[in-house]
Amino acid sequence: MTVLREWTFEDLNGIAELEKECFSSEPWNLQALADSFLSGHFYGALLEEEGAITSYGGISVVLDEGELQLIATAEMYRKCGRAQKILTYLTEEAAKRGARRIFLEVRVSNAEAQKLYLKNGFRGVYARTRYYPDGEDAVVMKKELV
């Protein structure tokens, strides 16, 4: 049975482990996850199956803007709609918290993520040259909620 729920502090170790599995370069570490979690602006959601975290995401909302900070799904659970569920849930939560628009950055090479974002109403706004430490560019995307 799959459960969709908000992150708790106790989930951070599991999320950090899955983050390392999903992102070989620059995964969020436990400290970065904890800092965001405790910021007061952050909301995290995850999918859990039999006690194991299979997908997660997080968004920060400040005033009327949201920023999708992270979203990932364990490799064996990809292409089954889990990231879609997390993205929908986080978008709805951002709107409840007063966001009128959501921004995100995505690697130019991450076609699967870009496809998910485009399908959900995000549009490319501009590129950030050499945004990532390895020199790869990022596409900044935005979705208007109102």
Side-chain angles (χ1 to χ4, degrees):
M1 181 169 139
T2 303
V3 176
L4 175 61
R5 64 175 177 80
E6 184 176 354
W7 292 12
T8 66
F9 194 78
E10 290 75 24
D11 295 319
L12 295 181
N13 282 322
I15 292 166
E17 286 303 311
L18 187 51
E19 180 77 1
K20 279 191 262 182
E21 290 175 30
C22 293
F23 300 102
S24 56
S25 65
E26 300 107 51
W28 284 47
N29 62 30
L30 183 59
Q31 185 65 54
L33 289 166
D35 289 347
S36 286
F37 179 80
L38 297 171
S39 73
H41 303 287
F42 184 84
Y43 184 83
L46 61 81
L47 284 168
E48 185 177 54
E49 297 184 40
E50 297 177 19
I53 299 168
T54 59
S55 189
Y56 61 90
I59 194 164
S60 286
V61 177
V62 177
L63 301 174
D64 66 348
E65 288 190 353
E67 180 184 359
L68 183 67
Q69 294 187 311
L70 67 166
I71 189 167
T73 300
E75 190 171 354
M76 69 182 282
Y77 293 97
R78 292 183 187 157
K79 301 201 186 277
C80 299
R82 285 170 175 79
Q84 176 66 58
K85 284 181 185 176
I86 295 288
L87 183 57
T88 299
Y89 192 75
L90 292 174
T91 300
E92 290 170 357
E93 185 62 32
K96 286 179 197 171
R97 292 172 181 241
R100 298 174 62 86
R101 67 197 61 79
I102 299 174
F103 290 91
L104 61 85
E105 291 98 10
V106 60
R107 287 180 174 270
V108 294
S109 64
N110 194 341
E112 286 299 312
Q114 290 178 41
K115 191 165 50 171
L116 171 69
Y117 300 139
L118 288 167
K119 183 175 108 177
N120 283 276
F122 285 85
R123 296 294 172 250
V125 181
Y126 55 89
R128 288 193 170 146
T129 306
R130 302 184 60 76
Y131 179 74
Y132 294 99
D134 64 3
E136 186 171 357
D137 296 348
V139 176
V140 176
M141 301 183 84
K142 177 174 85 168
K143 177 178 180 167
E144 295 290 341
L145 300 179
V146 181

